[in-house]
Amino acid sequence: LGLLLARSSTAPSSPPLGTPAADRLAQLEQEARANPADLKKLLAFGHLALDQGQMSRAVWAYKQALVLEPNNVEAITHTGLLLFLSGHVDQALSHLDRALALDPTYAHALWDKANILYHAKQEYAGAIKTWEAFLKLIPSGKDADQARAMIAEAKGRALLRPTASPAEKPGAALRRPLAPALFRGKAAQAYQVAHEIPQVLERLTCYCGCDK
């Protein structure tokens, strides 16, 4: 699951032309477009395009993959992630539910569903249940540790629901920055700090919409 967390992050800007990352993406795209019936090449290109923030190119790859294999769980899951990153939360969850109906053991779909339920919908019980299903498949390692930490946090958030002040906006007492593990590099460090001082961030005037 090494790339699982990376693909769930906020998409980085595309690498400069001529860099190894850009060259690798261009090579995979050339191979995929030259062999549109090669499912593995399409998925490899789609994954790297998503990692590099090339959303339109990733969409093309996954659409082509689903033309070849309409029930491909990997393509359905990543299409769901693209929908989430585009702000279509309910459609994203619908795709992830479809993927899990086809393969309940696909850990990537479980991970993405749990994070969307937690961060975008504040459906803590559903997120906990989904992370627990994930842990049955991946009981150890960095991702498992993160899942256990998020389960503990979700249980704490659920307990806070009845004590929220009626004067506050709905969900205001429950706001929490996204998990640091969803990001990379300096962004991950920034979210780690944000995670440690949510009460401070809650008092800052900001209109970027990151709490949503």
Side-chain angles (χ1 to χ4, degrees):
L1 297 176
L3 289 178
L4 186 151
L5 292 176
R7 290 187 196 135
S8 296
S9 68
T10 298
S13 58
S14 58
L17 295 175
T19 63
D23 290 345
R24 177 59 177 158
L25 182 63
Q27 178 187 350
L28 283 177
E29 181 173 19
Q30 183 178 12
E31 293 175 356
R33 292 186 183 276
N35 301 277
D38 190 324
L39 185 62
K40 289 185 178 180
K41 289 186 183 298
L42 287 168
L43 291 174
F45 169 54
H47 295 341
L48 188 58
L50 181 55
D51 288 344
Q52 295 188 9
Q54 299 294 300
M55 300 304 182
S56 61
R57 295 159 88 177
V59 167
W60 175 85
Y62 295 132
K63 279 186 176 180
Q64 289 296 118
L66 289 172
V67 168
L68 294 176
E69 190 176 304
N71 289 330
N72 183 275
V73 173
E74 196 170 346
I76 294 170
T77 297
H78 284 79
T79 300
L81 178 54
L82 282 167
L83 286 165
F84 171 65
L85 293 173
S86 301
H88 303 288
V89 175
D90 291 333
Q91 291 182 44
L93 287 171
S94 178
H95 274 68
L96 294 172
D97 284 338
R98 180 186 167 199
L100 290 168
L102 291 166
D103 183 1
T105 67
Y106 190 50
H108 193 160
L110 288 168
W111 180 269
D112 286 348
K113 180 180 178 180
N115 276 284
I116 292 173
L117 287 174
Y118 179 87
H119 292 293
K121 304 287 282 187
Q122 289 82 52
E123 293 182 8
Y124 302 120
I128 291 168
K129 181 179 179 181
T130 308
W131 271 314
E132 288 175 342
F134 174 87
L135 285 171
K136 290 180 181 178
L137 299 172
I138 313 293
S140 61
K142 181 179 178 180
D143 294 329
D145 292 341
Q146 180 66 24
R148 291 188 179 93
M150 294 306 296
I151 287 173
E153 186 170 306
K155 289 180 178 178
R157 295 280 122 191
L159 289 175
L160 285 176
R161 278 191 187 279
T163 61
S165 170
E168 296 175 340
K169 297 179 184 177
L174 308 179
R175 289 174 183 167
R176 188 85 174 187
L178 294 173
L182 298 176
F183 299 85
R184 290 172 286 183
K186 291 183 178 180
Q189 296 173 16
Y191 271 86
Q192 179 59 46
V193 173
H195 235 256
E196 295 170 0
I197 56 169
Q199 71 282 1
V200 175
L201 298 182
E202 188 64 35
R203 295 184 176 89
L204 296 177
T205 302
C206 179
Y207 304 97
C208 74
C210 62
D211 59 303
K212 297 180 177 62

